[in-house]
Amino acid sequence: MKLLKTLAITTALAALFATPSFAATRIALVVKSLGNGFFDAANKGAQEAAKELGDVEVIYTGPTAATAEAQIEVINSLIAQQVDAIAISANDPDALVPVLKKAMERGIKVISFDSGVAPEGRQVHLNPSETNLIGETIIKLAADYLPDGGDVAILSASSTATNQNAWIEAAKKALPTEFPKINLVATVYGDDDSVKSTDEAKGLIASYPNLKAIIAPTTVGVVAAAQVVTDMGLIGKVNVTGLALPSEFKQFIDNGASQAVALWNPIDLGYSAVMIADDLVKGGEAKPGATLAIGRMGSITLDDTNSAAMAPPFTFDKSNIEEFSKIY
Ligand code: RAM
């Protein structure tokens, strides 16, 4: 009888600790918008980190539309729920600062990942890769298939997105010196919304009859642009390139709407964001020069803005997209 009782208590305790709702640390992964495959892949890595840490629950959340206003509402609700940490991919570097400051005042650890918040609104920012490298890469992806140069246009995410704006600025800086024959005719914004991105891609094609490439540094925009080029019978005339999730984009490498695209590993990015947030909750200090452990990814060292970058992007083309499309 005593043995049975002990067993029952042990089983109940084991169930208690195995259930994530009783986890000691709750980390919210706040994304630009839900329904974006890139963030779903990041969440896969985030959940993996939670499992590995054992005492962490990851709350995957975000608005339906990629706006700062909608993210502010999400953050206010997370403050009310008293989560331990917020890891956010921001729709605006500045608009989120007041609400994130409020979160930090209440003892919530705040980091940005993927798309940054201004330094006063977060403790750490995790970039997927070096900003200049991404900027150069997105132009090179188009330039490699345009030996004689020509007109190209950028189809971005939202006009306030920190990450895309930084990459576009870096791309523009590289143009005159590294890609003198590439003529950037326009930058338009599809807001990481498929319908708006489709309309903007159609608009570019209508406005610029000599357009040779559409560069979309967003996984949502690049799919929309490639679908437009396919539907309008422009394969071979307009090359679509940029940053794409292989699982969503493989069909457009296969049908020739695109020659090549690039991206980093979004699973690793989400995994690392949770590891960093957990480190801060457990007392890790975020200051320039500090080294933070990120589990199976090793460690990162913070620069003078408390930012760090992960690995260079991979390029995907006919030779390897099949293999990567099975992973993310
Ligand atoms: C979209 C988002 C995200 C960006 C990727 C490349 O999914 O805008 O922030 O990093 O594209």
Side-chain angles (χ1 to χ4, degrees):
M1 188 62 190
K2 203 169 173 199
L3 181 68
L4 271 183
K5 219 176 183 181
T6 316
L7 265 180
I9 293 171
T10 319
T11 316
L13 279 178
L16 189 70
F17 288 113
T19 310
S21 55
F22 292 103
T25 301
R26 290 186 306 151
I27 299 173
L29 193 73
V30 182
V31 299
K32 285 179 167 177
S33 60
L34 294 174
N36 177 340
F38 174 85
F39 292 119
D40 289 347
N43 180 41
K44 243 194 206 174
Q47 300 296 342
E48 180 199 333
K51 210 167 162 201
E52 193 179 312
L53 290 162
D55 58 349
V56 168
E57 180 193 358
V58 167
I59 304 164
Y60 178 48
T61 182
T64 44
T67 69
E69 295 70 36
Q71 278 187 321
I72 291 172
E73 269 181 47
V74 171
I75 296 161
N76 270 321
S77 135
L78 292 168
I79 294 173
Q81 292 170 47
Q82 298 180 312
V83 296
D84 298 288
I86 292 173
I88 185 168
S89 170
N91 285 317
D92 188 303
D94 304 312
L96 297 161
V97 167
V99 75
L100 290 172
K101 270 187 164 167
K102 181 167 117 188
M104 288 190 284
E105 279 158 17
R106 310 266 166 102
I108 298 173
K109 306 295 176 193
V110 176
I111 73 161
S112 48
F113 76 101
D114 179 56
S115 186
V117 173
E120 57 274 26
R122 48 75 180 166
Q123 292 163 274
V124 171
H125 172 63
L126 179 66
N127 277 309
S129 290
E130 298 292 348
T131 298
N132 285 334
L133 178 61
I134 302 173
E136 281 164 32
T137 300
I138 58 175
I139 300 291
K140 187 169 182 300
L141 282 164
D144 280 351
Y145 298 92
L146 291 173
D148 301 324
D151 290 356
V152 307
I154 292 177
L155 168 61
S156 188
S158 79
S159 63
T160 57
T162 322
N163 53 349
Q164 273 91 10
N165 282 350
W167 302 332
I168 292 168
E169 202 187 302
K172 284 182 179 165
K173 242 192 264 160
L175 275 173
T177 50
E178 289 176 54
F179 309 99
K181 290 193 271 182
I182 298 295
N183 182 31
L184 177 63
V185 292
T187 300
V188 296
Y189 301 91
D191 296 346
D192 272 351
D193 174 272
S194 293
V195 175
K196 175 128 198 282
S197 300
T198 300
D199 287 348
E200 293 295 338
K202 284 182 184 162
L204 286 173
I205 287 162
S207 307
Y208 303 98
N210 292 322
L211 199 64
K212 298 280 193 302
I214 296 177
I215 302 169
T218 135
T219 58
V220 179
V222 79
V223 167
Q227 191 65 59
V228 167
V229 163
T230 302
D231 294 347
M232 292 179 78
L234 294 172
I235 292 176
K237 196 167 176 282
V238 180
N239 178 32
V240 176
T241 188
L243 302 174
L245 201 60
S247 54
E248 292 176 349
F249 201 74
K250 181 183 169 295
Q251 54 178 314
F252 301 113
I253 294 283
D254 290 348
N255 78 3
S258 173
Q259 298 295 326
V261 286
L263 196 70
W264 40 89
N265 184 326
I267 300 173
D268 290 348
L269 188 65
Y271 172 90
S272 304
V274 167
M275 285 293 177
I276 294 168
D278 181 66
D279 194 326
L280 297 183
V281 171
K282 294 193 174 135
E285 217 191 327
K287 57 172 194 222
T291 298
L292 304 176
I294 46 174
R296 65 166 167 79
M297 298 299 294
S299 65
I300 49 152
T301 301
L302 302 179
D303 67 11
D304 53 5
T305 64
N306 274 3
S307 306
M310 295 185 63
F314 308 102
T315 298
F316 310 111
D317 57 19
K318 271 198 161 52
S319 71
N320 63 359
I321 196 145
E322 161 95 43
E323 183 193 334
F324 282 92
S325 70
K326 292 178 192 144
I327 313 172
Y328 52 81

